[in-house]
Every structure is written in structure tokens, then in C-alpha cells.
């Protein structure tokens, strides 16, 4: 698969066979089609993909392990990113709460200071 048209053709073909396969994932970036099907259906799926005019190759055990490892790493990175985003959001919320508390504490002090200034400005009789 070298283009979106190729991956689209394979995706459309596999979508038509969804009742015969458990799941599938087409990755243009990795040039891989991952299909989960029963043992008896493997050759059928392979033949069906070949009918789209796209070549099919059996992955070696090493290629499968490398692919699985890469997917696991990507998943871990995504999870770490989500955790970092959540942590940053919580920190921002805490900072905002502290700022609001400080503003609320300063309001009575400012009001008291204004009242003293008004008292000092009034003429005494």
C-alpha cells in the first residue's frame, strides 16, 4: 500500500467481509493490514485481499513481534501524554483556585482601606 487509494480499497474490501473476520486495522504509515480472523478464515481473507490487486505477504514472527512492540510503545506514549495533560490541567485549576482565594482575601482589606480613607477625608466638627 503506497497511497490512500490502496489502503481505502483494502478497507472497503475487508468491511464487506466483517461477518467473516473479528477485526481489522489498515495502517498506511506502516504499510500493514492487521486482520484478526479464525484459523480457518486466514487463507480466505488473504485471497480476498489479493483480489483487490494488492500483494499479500505473510509476516515473519520477528516482524509481528516488532509491530506489536511498536504498537505497545505508541500506546504507552499516548497514555503518558494523557497523564501529563491531566496533571497540567489539575495544576492550572489549583493555580486558578489559589488566585481566586487571594483576590477574595484582598477584597475586604481593600474595602477597609477605602473606608479609612473616607473617614480621614470627612471634616471633623
Amino acid at each position: 500500500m503506497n497511497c490512500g487509494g490502496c489502503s481505502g480499497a483494502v478497507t472497503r474490501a475487508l468491511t464487506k467481509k466483517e461477518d467473516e473476520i473479528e477485526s481489522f486495522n489498515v495502517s498506511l504509515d506502516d504499510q500493514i493490514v492487521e486482520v484478526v480472523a479464525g484459523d480457518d478464515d486466514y487463507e480466505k481473507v488473504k485471497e480476498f485481499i489479493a483480489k483487490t490487486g494488492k500483494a499479500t505477504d505473510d509476516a515473519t514472527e520477528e516482524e509481528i513481534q516488532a509491530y506489536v512492540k511498536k504498537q505497545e510503545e505508541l500506546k504507552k506514549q499516548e497514555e503518558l501524554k494523557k497523564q501529563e495533560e491531566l496533571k497540567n490541567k489539575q495544576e492550572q485549576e489549583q493555580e486558578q483556585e489559589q488566585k481566586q482565594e487571594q483576590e477574595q482575601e484582598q477584597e475586604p482589606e481593600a474595602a477597609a482601606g477605602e473606608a479609612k480613607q473616607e473617614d480621614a477625608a470627612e471634616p471633623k466638627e
Side-chain angles (χ1 to χ4, degrees):
M1 294 183 305
N2 296 322
C3 67
C6 295
S7 64
V10 173
T11 299
R12 286 188 297 279
L14 290 172
T15 301
K16 291 178 184 177
K17 295 291 184 179
E18 281 184 320
D19 57 328
E20 297 178 31
I21 58 176
E22 293 177 34
S23 65
F24 70 91
N25 180 39
V26 179
S27 174
L28 178 59
D29 293 339
D30 295 327
Q31 296 187 353
I32 291 176
V33 178
E34 179 181 15
V35 179
V36 178
D39 293 337
D40 297 338
D41 296 329
Y42 177 74
E43 288 300 322
K44 290 179 188 176
V45 171
K46 192 173 170 183
E47 288 172 16
F48 189 72
I49 292 173
K51 287 180 182 178
T52 66
K54 309 305 171 206
T56 59
D57 294 326
D58 290 334
T60 65
E61 186 64 30
E62 293 83 21
E63 290 172 329
I64 292 170
Q65 288 175 357
Y67 177 77
V68 168
K69 186 176 180 179
K70 180 180 178 184
Q71 295 304 310
E72 289 172 350
E73 286 297 318
L74 290 173
K75 205 177 229 183
K76 285 179 186 178
Q77 289 174 359
E78 188 175 313
E79 185 62 33
L80 289 173
K81 183 178 177 183
K82 285 180 183 179
Q83 289 174 355
E84 187 67 28
E85 288 172 353
L86 180 61
K87 180 181 173 185
N88 289 340
K89 183 178 179 183
Q90 290 172 339
E91 288 174 355
Q92 288 175 347
E93 288 173 353
Q94 287 176 344
E95 289 173 5
Q96 185 67 25
E97 288 175 8
Q98 289 174 349
K99 184 178 179 183
Q100 288 174 348
E101 288 173 3
Q102 288 174 348
E103 289 173 355
Q104 289 174 353
E105 289 173 359
Q106 291 174 353
E107 285 176 6
E109 293 173 6
E114 288 175 8
K116 286 182 183 178
Q117 288 178 349
E118 287 176 8
D119 287 344
E122 289 181 11
K124 294 185 180 181
E125 296 178 23

